Amino acid sequence: MSQDSSLKKWIEISIPDLSGKEKYYLDQCIKTNYLSSIGPLIEKFEDEISSSVGLANGSTTTTSSGTSALHLSMLVAGVNKGDLVIIPSYTFIATANAISHAGAFPWLLDIDSKSLTIDPIILYDELAKNVVVNANHCIHKETGQRVAALVPVFSFGHPANMDKLGEIAKEFKIPLITDAAAAIGSKYKNLDIGPFSDLTCFSFNGNKSITCGGGGAICSPNKDLVNKAKHLGSTAKTGPNYVHDQIGYNYRMINTQAAIGLAQIERLTEIIYKKREIAKKYSLRLKIEKVLDPLPEMDWATSSCWLSGFVINESSLIKPKQLINHLNKKFIRAKEFWRPIHIQQPYKDALRGNLKVTNNLWERIIILPSSFSLTFEEQEYVITTILDYIN
Ligand SMILES: *Cc1c(COP(=O)(O)O)cnc(C)c1O
């Protein structure tokens, strides 16, 4: 092996950095005996989330995962059994699964090749062609199904075109639920993202920019929706005496998750700054005409840069899998990113539009080591290994 022995450990794609007050807050959980779903750190963490997305205290409820946040959001937004929910096919499978958990069906649409988020022009065309809007509902003409929500996904932490999507959601009377799973700390037109959607969902899984180990959150400018989600996610209990008014879920976050989350979110600015620096450096050094294209940042977006990477240019002869293998041999963790929903077994029959951009792009997108703790030397090593391979 030719590489420097000091680098003979894997350079991971996205691992947590626990160098803040994680241990201090965990100690507090143990000292105070608050481990579970009642505990002072949960509300503190929720208030921090609200403020980081530009909403007032009381606008966030935490959950056990990003997936449970999405599922609860569907339910409180009024997604019912048999409804359709629009998502980009280019997303993590949890977006589609949350719809299925609510008894509804995804309607898969294409991304635009510039932002890699749902394409508002295609979305508008599909709606204009395929739905009728009556007093309160948007109905898919051919199937008679109600179109009950629109779910943009902030791919790699990059905001979608929220002004356009907001206008479309309003015109067609469809609630807007944003899957911003990995996009806490991102901005849209320099503004916090919370006010742009009816509901915004986050994940604090171990591989996200900030983590609780596992966990999620729902934010909304409408506190009624937040309270409904909190109620439904806490077994729909109405008080301390085992009275429940609906079939609820146990989707609560616990105090030890919040302990880690709180320590992490205190460092959100620092963490996002570093992630953006990592992305900028890859973009600068790996932008190679007709060979590699950096992941995008549109003029409306300040991405949280959850994951960095590149798109292998259409005209390049580089085989993504071979490049990945080469990097893996050098202990650099690199991989293909999301496999679109429409080619996943459980969704092979899902309603879909023309997905030519997704089909054309997904196999050429490669993600690279992007952890907060990535060192200067490690990133140099990743970059030079890639440049050596393609030259
Ligand atoms: C991570 C992620 C989720 C799921 O979050 P979990 O906490 O793993 O349940 C959903 N959507 C997207 C876009 C994600 O990246």
Side-chain angles (χ1 to χ4, degrees):
M1 224 140 295
S2 60
Q3 75 200 66
D4 179 341
S5 63
S6 67
L7 288 167
K8 271 188 189 168
K9 65 174 187 357
W10 279 93
I11 305 176
E12 301 291 351
I13 288 176
S14 184
I15 52 172
D17 179 87
L18 305 174
S19 60
K21 285 167 77 180
E22 289 80 5
K23 192 167 182 322
Y24 169 79
Y25 287 131
L26 281 173
D27 277 347
Q28 277 195 356
C29 295
I30 291 167
K31 279 193 194 125
T32 59
N33 210 33
Y34 277 115
L35 287 187
S36 194
S37 51
I38 293 173
L41 301 180
I42 295 171
E43 199 178 317
K44 261 191 156 157
F45 182 40
E46 289 174 343
D47 289 346
E48 289 295 326
I49 296 168
S50 295
S51 97
S52 73
V53 301
L55 296 172
N57 284 354
S59 309
T60 297
T61 184
T62 46
T63 58
S64 54
S65 69
T67 310
S68 55
L70 284 163
H71 181 195
L72 287 176
S73 295
M74 300 293 156
L75 299 175
V76 302
V79 173
N80 285 318
K81 287 196 172 48
D83 289 344
L84 285 172
V85 174
I86 298 171
I87 60 171
S89 186
Y90 191 64
T91 184
F92 181 56
I93 199 157
T95 322
N97 287 347
I99 296 164
S100 305
H101 297 331
F105 298 90
W107 178 5
L108 306 171
L109 296 183
D110 214 354
I111 51 172
D112 86 70
S113 61
K114 289 213 178 86
S115 73
L116 306 179
T117 60
I118 193 164
D119 186 331
I121 297 170
I122 291 175
L123 170 68
Y124 192 90
D125 272 7
E126 287 282 337
L127 286 168
K129 261 194 315 207
N130 293 307
V131 306
V132 283
V133 181
N134 63 28
N136 298 307
H137 297 305
C138 174
I139 308 289
H140 188 264
K141 286 189 282 197
E142 201 182 310
T143 65
Q145 288 168 289
R146 198 168 66 103
V147 182
L150 165 62
V151 184
V153 177
F154 289 9
S155 314
F156 313 94
H158 184 291
N161 190 339
M162 297 311 284
D163 284 336
K164 289 260 164 62
L165 296 172
E167 281 166 26
I168 295 171
K170 201 165 165 202
E171 178 173 342
F172 289 90
K173 299 186 179 167
I174 312 173
L176 194 53
I177 303 173
T178 291
D179 182 348
I184 196 156
S186 68
K187 305 231 185 242
Y188 176 76
K189 296 190 173 168
N190 263 330
L191 299 168
D192 293 322
I193 60 176
F196 287 94
S197 312
D198 296 300
L199 294 140
T200 304
C201 297
F202 297 102
S203 163
F204 304 113
N205 190 40
N207 67 341
K208 300 299 203 273
S209 298
I210 68 165
T211 184
C212 300
I218 301 168
C219 302
S220 175
N222 177 345
K223 290 184 188 176
D224 281 349
L225 291 180
V226 174
N227 291 333
K228 276 187 186 150
K230 193 184 226 70
H231 178 66
L232 206 52
S234 330
T235 65
K237 68 166 187 259
T238 58
N241 296 323
Y242 296 100
V243 180
H244 307 265
D245 62 0
Q246 289 171 77
I247 301 176
Y249 300 84
N250 181 0
Y251 277 172
R252 295 167 301 184
M253 177 170 279
I254 61 172
N255 206 43
T256 49
Q257 286 170 297
I260 298 175
L262 186 58
Q264 293 265 296
I265 205 167
E266 286 174 351
R267 298 168 57 218
L268 183 65
T269 308
E270 178 199 356
I271 290 172
I272 301 302
Y273 180 83
K274 173 77 187 281
K275 302 276 265 186
R276 289 183 54 75
E277 290 297 306
I278 292 170
K280 268 187 226 161
K281 186 162 176 177
Y282 281 133
S283 296
L284 208 67
R285 302 272 298 280
L286 298 175
K287 183 179 161 78
I288 301 163
E289 195 88 26
K290 298 229 159 82
V291 183
L292 302 182
D293 304 317
L295 289 180
E297 186 164 64
M298 302 302 285
D299 53 10
W300 70 68
T302 309
S303 175
S304 65
C305 295
W306 168 40
L307 296 174
S308 288
F310 50 75
V311 187
I312 297 180
N313 192 274
E314 216 172 346
S315 57
S316 162
L317 295 174
I318 293 173
K319 298 264 180 294
K321 285 192 176 61
Q322 283 170 16
L323 172 54
I324 288 167
N325 278 340
H326 178 77
L327 294 174
N328 290 169
K329 274 188 207 135
K330 305 275 183 190
F331 293 88
I332 295 166
R333 206 77 79 180
K335 56 182 196 178
E336 276 176 356
F337 198 47
W338 294 328
R339 178 176 291 260
I341 303 301
H342 68 281
I343 62 169
Q344 304 278 1
Q345 168 63 25
Y347 297 104
K348 64 183 194 317
D349 300 323
L351 183 67
R352 66 199 59 184
N354 184 332
L355 297 169
K356 64 171 192 283
V357 176
T358 304
N359 281 325
N360 176 268
L361 270 169
W362 76 270
E363 281 179 291
R364 293 188 283 114
I365 298 175
I366 292 180
I367 52 170
L368 295 173
S370 319
S371 305
F372 173 82
S373 52
L374 186 72
T375 65
F376 177 87
E377 291 77 16
E378 286 171 333
Q379 192 172 12
E380 286 298 316
Y381 173 68
V382 174
I383 291 168
T384 51
T385 307
I386 294 166
L387 293 176
D388 285 349
Y389 180 83
I390 63 179
N391 286 320

